[in-house]
Amino acid sequence: MKKLIVSILLLTGFQAYAGDAGCGLGSVIIQKNSKGLQLLAMTTNSVLLTQPLGITSGTSGCSSSGLVMNDKEVQYFVEVNQEELSREMAQGHGEKLATLAQMKGCRNDVSQKAFGSFAQNSYAKILPTANTSAVEMVQNLNKELAAQSDLAQMCHGS
């Protein structure tokens, strides 16, 4: 009976249950978002190895739009919109730049404006030459973003 319940929980995609502990069986079973319970959920996810299974199968609150997928989406978006993005980064605002900010986790207006200011101030480092490729542009963007702890907090906390 326990195997049946665990199987049902694993096979259903309860994405809304992924809390601070991430996705996995522990997150499905423990939904209250207190520190102690989320630590227990994280431990359960790790010990039972349900997180890798959930990520692979897209169940237990896991999705295929994780970090790797997001990086691919950003890379594709930059490749398709590189010229407009370059212009908007130089200006510090624009529709494409706002979309890139959202893809990087900046969900509200304040964090998107901060992202625009960051892109404008870091323009020379993100696009050092006129021939900078889209791949180099994304690598430079990620490198510069990694040094921006305040912006990371705003974008991932919004």
Side-chain angles (χ1 to χ4, degrees):
M1 185 66 177
K2 287 182 183 178
K3 289 181 181 179
L4 177 63
I5 292 172
V6 169
S7 297
I8 290 171
L9 290 173
L10 284 172
L11 293 175
T12 55
F14 291 100
Q15 294 190 8
Y17 298 126
D20 291 342
C23 62
L25 180 60
S27 300
V28 171
I29 296 171
I30 302 167
Q31 298 171 14
K32 191 170 181 178
N33 200 17
S34 69
K35 285 182 183 179
L37 290 175
Q38 286 299 302
L39 286 171
L40 181 61
M42 179 189 73
T43 303
T44 303
N45 291 339
S46 298
V47 170
L48 298 177
L49 299 174
T50 58
Q51 214 163 25
L53 293 171
I55 291 169
T56 304
S57 63
T59 60
S60 303
C62 303
S63 71
S64 60
S65 61
L67 292 176
V68 174
M69 182 61 80
N70 190 29
D71 285 347
K72 292 291 183 193
E73 289 173 350
V74 168
Q75 184 65 51
Y76 178 75
F77 180 77
V78 170
E79 286 178 11
V80 171
N81 301 293
Q82 186 174 9
E83 186 177 323
E84 294 157 323
L85 266 173
S86 298
R87 186 177 59 248
E88 291 180 4
M89 283 181 161
Q91 297 170 345
H93 60 86
E95 184 180 331
K96 303 291 184 194
L97 187 57
T99 301
L100 180 61
Q102 287 178 349
M103 295 175 88
K104 287 296 198 179
C106 304
R107 304 272 184 244
N108 60 38
D109 288 342
V110 173
S111 62
Q112 289 177 15
K113 285 182 182 176
F115 186 87
S117 295
F118 152 76
Q120 187 176 30
N121 294 334
S122 302
Y123 182 81
K125 293 178 181 175
I126 297 170
L127 291 153
T129 67
N131 296 329
T132 302
S133 71
V135 172
E136 293 169 330
M137 184 176 167
V138 171
Q139 289 172 344
N140 294 340
L141 174 67
N142 289 339
K143 180 180 171 187
E144 293 301 315
L145 269 175
Q148 304 292 318
S149 59
D150 292 344
L151 187 59
Q153 180 70 25
M154 288 177 71
C155 290
H156 295 292
S158 62

